Amino acid sequence: APTLPPNTVTTSSIVKLPYFKRIQSTIARTTKQKISVITYLTSWLCTVGGGGERAIALSTPTEKPFSGRAVKNDVFQLMDLIVSLMCSPTNVFSNSTGRRNPDDCYLLLTADMAEFALTHGYFDAPLGFDTQALSNLSEAAAQPTTNLMSNGVMNVLARGAITLYSALIQSPLLVHVRDWLNTVDNSVRILLTTFTSTHLSPVIVQNALLGVMANDLDGRDRFEVEDDYWVAVSLRERKIVLDFEKDDSVISLTILFPAEFPLSPARLPPDTLKSQSKNKVGEASKWRTWVMKISVMLFDGHTKSVWSSIQSFGRLLTQHFDGVDPCPICYSLMDQAHKLPNMSCSTCGNRCHASCLFKWWSTQGGSTCPYCRSPWST
């Protein structure tokens, strides 16, 4: 994982906004700090851009440098730095009015202010998408004659940090970002959540929903995913509706994407699940609980894409109606990685999640089938 720049040490206590402002001030004062931050951010952009899932995959007990706790701590340190850089002044309104505005920083930037800055040429790209600018700055930092003391450098660093933050909350590392939010003061949490819902979430949700529509040859907002399974997309209402039919069962499910998605997961409105099934009249409550559970797990924002979640939902329902039994260890059809039971006992034929089976063996001290207790053989 990238190395944390010096003098940007995190704290275990609940931290407030002045803490992040002090870090920003320290970085702004010295060239050495800026060079460290440039290297750190560009390394993380490469990691999250193509390795966010790999970082999670390497989080195994046998690889201590990439353990789950180590990755979590790395993300916590990164988030401290990102928010610190977002405390940098935009200089937009100081330049336009000639007076320094104490609230003129990226973390407090409103939608109107960002639009004004972009319209009048203060920003050369929409907020949060300055990867190229950060890359150019990284190349400039390698030149010994480069002057890194200007306010323009802090501007690029701040917008590069926002770019990285946007990528981070769209990666599997989102779970650690959500945990990090519990380590900061409520006012900081509100500021970052507001920033996300104002500048990033609208683009993230729109791209996700357009990505769903792109899987229809005609780009329609309602189309058949597979036989008897339909999806409808509403860009205006930020929602998708899933309709599934199988034999005598009909299921309709609505998924809403909140303003701060993916910091907050997609949610299911009250009474969103509508189902009819003659064979499950006596199990209505259990059936609804199961469908709601897999819906929440799939659309929590951790998954690779909304479209993959839609596909998984249909596949799980089909498997359920085809009689696929849940894992006898966790009693669920899918594990935390959204995988079906994938290891079968050759004696009794029951299938378990690989992750559940390995945990079972580690606690039981032997490789037996948790269902029939026979020595495991695939």
Side-chain angles (χ1 to χ4, degrees):
T3 303
L4 185 70
N7 298 329
T8 55
V9 182
T10 58
T11 175
S12 58
S13 60
I14 299 296
V15 294
K16 299 182 179 181
L17 192 59
Y19 167 78
F20 300 108
K21 289 184 176 180
R22 285 197 299 272
I23 294 179
Q24 189 277 335
S25 179
T26 301
I27 295 171
R29 282 198 301 264
T30 63
T31 299
K32 181 179 179 181
Q33 288 284 351
K34 290 189 181 74
I35 293 176
S36 298
V37 170
I38 292 169
T39 304
Y40 186 66
L41 292 183
T42 51
S43 298
W44 264 108
L45 274 172
C46 294
T47 301
V48 177
E53 293 181 8
R54 180 174 178 271
I56 294 296
L58 289 173
S59 303
T60 62
T62 58
E63 299 182 6
K64 293 182 179 179
F66 296 94
S67 68
R69 182 173 295 276
V71 172
K72 181 176 180 178
N73 289 339
D74 287 342
V75 174
F76 275 32
Q77 293 174 340
L78 174 62
M79 284 302 302
D80 278 6
L81 180 61
I82 286 174
V83 174
S84 298
L85 291 173
M86 289 173 67
C87 291
S88 300
T90 66
N91 294 322
V92 172
F93 301 98
S94 297
N95 292 339
S96 60
T97 64
R99 295 191 304 271
R100 174 75 173 91
N101 185 341
D103 293 331
D104 179 23
C105 74
Y106 284 90
L107 193 58
L108 299 175
L109 197 66
T110 65
D112 291 341
M113 292 163 64
E115 184 178 355
F116 174 88
L118 188 61
T119 302
H120 291 77
Y122 291 105
F123 292 170
D124 55 5
L127 193 63
F129 297 94
D130 285 345
T131 307
Q132 186 60 44
L134 187 62
S135 176
N136 293 340
L137 187 59
S138 179
E139 295 175 5
Q143 305 299 323
T145 58
T146 301
N147 178 14
L148 295 178
M149 291 303 293
S150 68
N151 289 331
V153 172
M154 291 304 295
N155 262 259
V156 175
L157 282 176
R159 288 150 64 188
I162 295 167
T163 300
L164 178 54
Y165 169 66
S166 178
L168 197 65
I169 61 177
Q170 296 180 76
S171 78
L173 297 173
L174 168 65
V175 61
H176 300 314
V177 177
R178 288 176 175 170
D179 288 341
W180 175 88
L181 286 171
N182 295 323
T183 70
V184 297
D185 180 66
N186 189 51
S187 61
V188 178
R189 190 183 307 116
I190 292 174
L191 286 175
L192 187 61
T193 301
T194 301
F195 180 93
T196 304
S197 61
T198 301
H199 301 289
L200 302 180
S201 183
V203 178
I204 292 173
V205 173
Q206 178 175 295
N207 287 344
L209 297 183
L210 289 176
V212 172
M213 294 168 60
N215 288 277
D216 179 61
L217 293 177
D218 298 321
R220 294 171 296 178
D221 57 7
R222 188 177 190 277
F223 61 94
E224 193 171 24
V225 179
E226 54 190 46
D227 290 344
D228 301 321
Y229 180 39
W230 292 76
V231 60
V233 177
S234 174
L235 292 172
R236 184 176 61 85
E237 298 181 43
R238 297 166 61 108
K239 73 176 184 180
I240 57 175
V241 179
L242 306 176
D243 295 315
F244 183 90
E245 296 183 16
K246 184 74 172 181
D247 300 329
D248 64 337
S249 297
V250 179
I251 298 168
S252 182
L253 186 71
T254 300
I255 309 289
L256 289 177
F257 296 88
E260 63 276 11
F261 181 85
L263 284 186
S264 295
R267 59 186 178 86
L268 284 64
D271 300 324
T272 181
L273 178 61
K274 300 176 182 177
S275 62
Q276 299 176 359
S277 176
K278 294 179 181 178
N279 295 333
K280 296 185 179 293
V281 173
E283 304 178 17
S285 178
K286 181 179 178 180
W287 166 242
R288 288 176 62 85
T289 300
W290 181 83
V291 174
M292 296 288 278
K293 179 181 178 181
I294 64 171
S295 303
V296 171
M297 289 180 66
L298 284 174
F299 295 97
D300 64 355
H302 292 175
T303 50
K304 186 175 182 180
S305 70
V306 173
W307 174 245
S308 66
S309 297
I310 291 172
Q311 291 178 305
S312 296
F313 182 76
R315 184 168 59 251
L316 286 168
L317 286 178
T318 299
Q319 294 278 356
H320 178 79
F321 281 108
D322 288 346
V324 176
D325 293 324
C327 170
I329 300 174
C330 68
Y331 306 106
S332 296
L333 193 59
M334 63 180 179
D335 61 10
Q336 292 182 343
H338 304 155
K339 293 182 179 179
L340 295 168
N342 54 355
M343 294 191 69
S344 176
C345 173
S346 61
T347 302
C348 65
N350 280 286
R351 303 175 72 88
C352 306
H353 298 123
S355 57
C356 294
L357 194 59
F358 294 143
K359 289 178 182 178
W360 170 270
W361 289 343
S362 66
T363 57
Q364 298 298 313
S367 54
T368 60
C369 174
Y371 199 83
C372 68
R373 306 292 175 161
S374 300
W376 184 268
S377 176
T378 56

